[in-house]
């Protein structure tokens, strides 16, 4: 049974006016919902997909938190975390799409945003691999 009182208040979520904040806000909210689901409430046939969604939301939320809380130049250690969480986010998206396809469910409609995020991750990864002390956020 869903208990809304367990959810964090709105002030705990990211907010802003720029493009992308809606995705960060929705991801943070959905992550809090998913993290409050009890294992016994998930049908056995959905547990694999649920775990991938949960992993993806956690990675996505860490990715957004790091890039939106970071300054123009990220220290190398932070950029490495952004890259790791970014690739995990994209891997989870791919995993969800594959599981949905196996279950003959509809396609996902997030391709353009995911495509752009892969460019962000790849660009930061190039800077990290080049040995930059600070990477452009």
């Amino acid at each position: 049974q869903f208990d809304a009182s367990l959810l964090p208040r709105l002030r705990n979520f990211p907010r802003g006016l720029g493009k992308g904040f809606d995705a960060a806000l929705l991801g943070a909210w959905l992550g809090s919902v998913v993290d409050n689901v009890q294992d016994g409430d998930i049908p056995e046939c959905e547990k694999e997909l649920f775990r991938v969604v949960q992993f993806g939301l956690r990675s996505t939320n860490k990715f957004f938190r790091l890039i939106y809380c970071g300054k123009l130049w990220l220290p190398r250690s932070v950029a490495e975390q952004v890259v790791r969480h970014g690739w995990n986010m994209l891997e989870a998206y791919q995993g969800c799409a594959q599981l949905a396809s196996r279950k003959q469910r509809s396609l996902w409609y997030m391709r353009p945003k995911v495509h752009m995020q892969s460019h962000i991750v790849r660009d930061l990864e190039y800077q990290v691999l080049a040995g930059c002390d600070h990477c452009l956020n």
Side-chain angles (χ1 to χ4, degrees):
Q1 175 139 349
F2 179 73
D3 183 357
S5 68
L6 298 174
L7 297 177
R9 299 284 179 233
L10 183 60
R11 68 178 170 271
N12 295 340
F13 298 113
R15 58 184 162 268
L17 301 173
K19 184 175 181 179
F21 281 106
D22 55 341
L25 177 61
L26 180 61
W29 173 78
L30 190 54
S32 69
V33 170
V34 167
D35 283 342
N36 282 300
V37 172
Q38 302 299 314
D39 194 57
D41 293 336
I42 306 164
E44 194 61 42
C45 63
E46 301 296 342
K47 284 189 178 185
E48 183 181 16
L49 180 60
F50 183 84
R51 300 275 180 256
V52 177
V53 167
Q54 188 175 46
F55 171 75
L57 283 167
R58 288 176 178 168
S59 296
T60 300
N61 290 334
K62 289 175 185 172
F63 172 83
F64 277 129
R65 191 173 305 113
L66 289 168
I67 63 171
Y68 285 131
C69 291
K71 296 184 179 183
L72 181 61
W73 293 96
L74 299 174
R76 179 186 173 94
S77 61
V78 174
E80 289 170 340
Q81 292 178 57
V82 172
V83 169
R84 184 177 70 252
H85 294 304
W87 286 129
N88 287 345
M89 167 187 63
L90 295 167
E91 182 180 318
Y93 175 85
Q94 180 183 13
C96 286
Q98 288 173 342
L99 288 169
S101 176
R102 269 193 248 142
K103 294 178 181 238
Q104 298 179 332
R105 294 189 179 162
S106 61
L107 294 175
W108 299 56
Y109 293 104
M110 295 173 50
R111 291 180 189 165
K113 188 160 194 97
V114 170
H115 177 81
M116 184 58 186
Q117 287 174 329
S118 69
H119 283 285
I120 294 168
V121 174
R122 188 173 298 121
D123 185 57
L124 273 171
E125 185 175 51
Y126 288 150
Q127 295 176 66
V128 167
L129 293 174
C132 299
D133 291 332
H134 288 81
C135 303
L136 185 59
N137 186 359

